[in-house]
Amino acid sequence: MDTPGTSTVRHAVMQMLRDCGMTTVFGNPGSTELPFLDRWPNDLRYVLGLQESSVVAMADGYARATGRAAFCSLHSAVGVGHAAGSIFTAYRNQAPLVITAGQQARSLLPLNPFLGATEAANFPKPYIKWSIEPARAEDVPAALAHAWHVALQPPCGPTFVSIPMDDWSAPADPLPPRRIGRDTAPDPALLEEAAAALAASRNPVLVIGPEVDAAGAGPAAVALAERLNAPVLASPFSSRASFPESHPLFAGFLAAAPNAVTASLAPHDLVLILGAPVFTFHVAGKYRLPPLIQMTADGEAIAAAPSGTGILGGLRLGIPALTALLPGCHRPAPPPRPRPPAPAAATPIPVEYLLHSLAAARPGDSVIVEEAPSHRPAIQQHLPIPDWGGFFTMASGGLGYGLPAAVGVALAHPGRRVIAVIGDGSMMYSIQALWTAVREALPLTVIVLNNGGYGAMRSFSRVLGVENAPGIDLPGIDFPSLAAGMGCPARQVADPVDLDAALSAALASPTPMLIDVALDPAIHTLYRKG
């Protein structure tokens, strides 16, 4: 317990959280965190998650939606182990998180105590940017400030601080607030070379990744595309909105397959890649790339590129600087992207019909949080994202992110409709996040795409010639009953006649509501050979 009139580690950390804007704390507490939680101040919001993996995913969604670092308080040792999958996802998402975990009292650590974490700072590596267990209690506030600054340095990512439980009451001075600029400007000479190459190109194409949206450089990217009058493709597995999909220059999505990328880029004599690696693939194959120019704040992504010119720097500064160097363009406009016809209703409900109905019903400023990998091609065709900040998914491929991330996004945007579009397999990884959504009374609509199994596994089995593989089907899960048990109204829809009314009710509900849609179990091929 703190000594009255004395500045303690706890006092200094609470003030640091206020100074850094981390006034929403995501946590799942244990005994080693109780001294931190003692006499919790009214001006800090504590969001309780019922499992550590969900806690980190909630903080990830909140951080990405706000553009600020989020603070996580986890339990020691096995609690961090529970969170490991979401820490990996946060690393791939480049989400700025400051993650803490309680540690046993320092006096007990030589005795290998219950709840003691051996080499605690190494536990979440390598999927954190920086970690420490401070050598002295009085070093905890500075360590957390260090973690905050590192988490926000591009490329952003999670950091980790292990804090022994008896450190919180130790004396410590408050930290002086600091201001640090985080933008870096690209090399002007390389920008001039890029501008000259683009001006000379006959048929350039832009490939845009999630970093553009994360950096707040979306409008600048639109201005650049319009100056070039060039088509825009979303990078493979882009985890955010890459370009307004209603814009006439938007040409679609690159698949995460080498042969498909080769075919899509073959007509072009120059590729400008903004805020994306070259490229994220899910299947093997051979590919050939036209000459390319890549601009990103991620030095590792530049190092991994197989060819081309890499321009290291922040996109918020780099894209307008490149646009200013370009002359006026007289290229003809690219052909418009073909749009599919409206899907027909059927029983069982085709996923295309569900997504088309959702696109028509959802509010214009709503945010989509998606985790339905087997249906992503259909989502890209029938659920267009018109706005920056209007779409989030995970970059890691690890299931269980979508529902808690949607809770975090909804907390970041009070009053704005958030729609979680989640497969039935994904839903079972973190369904306990519904409890937090209900507790926080969030305007969250959860739509379960229920095809009775792991659809992506069905698709890959067909491509690979695998037959009768176990562990793919998921019969007998009653999602409305599970939701109701956590206080969330829910209903199942199996007849397309009932779909519009169910969507309208869920989208109008001021608090969480779940719709379980029984879909046709057939899954289209995600990636084709050859």
Side-chain angles (χ1 to χ4, degrees):
M1 183 172 290
D2 302 342
T3 302
T6 302
S7 178
T8 65
V9 168
R10 184 177 176 279
H11 289 141
V13 168
M14 293 296 179
Q15 189 56 49
M16 187 217 77
L17 294 178
R18 298 181 183 101
D19 292 341
C20 295
M22 293 190 292
T23 54
T24 297
V25 174
F26 297 85
N28 181 265
S31 58
T32 56
E33 293 76 52
L34 281 173
F36 169 58
L37 303 175
D38 180 34
R39 287 166 289 172
W40 190 256
N42 292 331
D43 62 328
L44 298 184
R45 183 182 196 178
Y46 187 90
V47 178
L48 174 61
L50 301 186
Q51 203 262 9
E52 288 91 346
S53 183
S54 289
V55 167
V56 173
M58 288 177 196
D60 178 322
Y62 183 87
R64 296 171 78 200
T66 60
R68 305 192 305 269
F71 191 90
C72 298
S73 174
L74 307 181
H75 196 28
S76 63
V78 73
V80 180
H82 288 160
S86 288
I87 292 172
F88 172 75
T89 293
Y91 183 81
R92 295 297 188 202
N93 287 345
Q94 298 187 356
L97 304 183
V98 177
I99 302 171
T100 65
Q103 171 67 294
Q104 257 293 6
R106 289 180 185 270
S107 61
L108 294 178
L109 289 179
L111 306 176
N112 292 324
F114 190 68
L115 299 179
T118 303
E119 297 188 27
N122 290 327
F123 197 179
K125 289 182 177 179
Y127 298 112
I128 48 172
K129 294 181 65 179
W130 184 81
S131 68
I132 193 172
E133 184 173 279
R136 304 178 304 169
E138 57 263 44
D139 297 328
V140 168
L144 287 169
H146 188 148
W148 178 69
H149 288 300
V150 172
L152 285 166
Q153 290 172 2
C156 298
T159 56
F160 178 77
V161 181
S162 171
I163 305 173
M165 66 182 298
D166 51 351
D167 283 6
W168 293 103
S169 59
D173 293 329
L175 298 174
R178 300 178 65 199
R179 294 182 62 199
I180 295 179
R182 296 186 174 90
D183 271 324
T184 55
D187 185 333
L190 289 179
L191 288 178
E192 290 182 1
E193 290 180 17
L198 288 164
S201 172
R202 293 177 292 101
N203 187 20
V205 62
L206 279 70
V207 175
I208 296 183
E211 189 183 330
V212 168
D213 193 25
V222 172
L224 173 58
E226 291 174 347
R227 176 69 67 88
L228 292 169
N229 210 18
V232 177
L233 294 166
S235 66
F237 282 127
S238 184
S239 61
R240 299 180 69 129
S242 291
F243 202 75
E245 294 173 28
S246 57
H247 195 285
L249 291 176
F250 183 68
F253 300 83
L254 284 180
N259 298 306
V261 167
T262 296
S264 295
L265 299 183
H268 302 282
D269 61 347
L270 183 64
V271 183
L272 175 62
I273 302 164
L274 301 175
V278 185
F279 288 102
T280 301
F281 292 130
H282 193 184
V283 294
K286 295 182 179 180
Y287 66 101
R288 297 180 62 186
L289 297 176
L292 60 88
I293 300 168
Q294 179 189 22
M295 185 190 301
T296 174
D298 188 344
E300 183 178 350
I302 286 179
S307 61
T309 298
I311 304 176
L312 181 64
L315 301 180
R316 192 181 69 86
L317 299 177
I319 294 176
L322 177 59
T323 304
L325 294 171
L326 291 168
C329 174
H330 303 289
R331 295 185 188 91
R337 180 190 178 206
R339 301 300 304 169
T347 304
I349 297 173
V351 69
E352 294 83 0
Y353 182 79
L354 164 61
L355 295 169
H356 183 84
S357 300
L358 175 59
R362 74 184 184 101
D365 67 342
S366 56
V367 181
I368 301 292
V369 181
E370 175 262 315
E371 190 180 303
S374 59
H375 296 300
R376 192 162 294 161
I379 290 169
Q380 292 169 349
Q381 287 288 318
H382 296 280
L383 188 58
I385 307 299
D387 302 315
W388 300 105
F391 175 79
F392 297 92
T393 188
M394 43 80 178
S396 67
L399 301 185
Y401 173 77
L403 181 60
V407 172
V409 172
L411 286 164
H413 296 305
R416 189 173 177 184
R417 176 62 53 180
V418 175
I419 304 167
V421 179
I422 302 178
D424 52 336
S426 292
M427 189 71 181
M428 290 308 298
Y429 278 76
S430 52
I431 195 168
Q432 68 274 3
L434 271 180
W435 182 89
T436 303
V438 171
R439 179 182 175 87
E440 299 291 337
L442 301 175
L444 174 64
T445 301
V446 180
I447 300 176
V448 180
L449 279 55
N450 191 342
N451 59 15
Y454 297 119
M457 295 291 286
R458 291 172 181 160
S459 176
F460 281 115
S461 293
R462 185 166 59 248
V463 171
L464 297 173
V466 174
E467 298 181 4
N468 299 321
I472 293 178
D473 296 330
L474 301 173
I477 301 175
D478 187 344
F479 288 103
S481 293
L482 292 171
M486 287 180 275
C488 178
R491 63 176 292 186
Q492 186 178 68
V493 176
D495 190 325
V497 173
D498 301 324
L499 182 59
D500 286 346
L503 290 175
S504 296
L507 292 169
S509 175
T511 54
M513 186 171 180
L514 180 145
I515 305 296
D516 175 20
V517 184
L519 296 179
D520 187 335
I523 297 295
H524 297 298
T525 300
L526 297 178
Y527 311 113
R528 300 185 183 277
K529 294 181 178 180

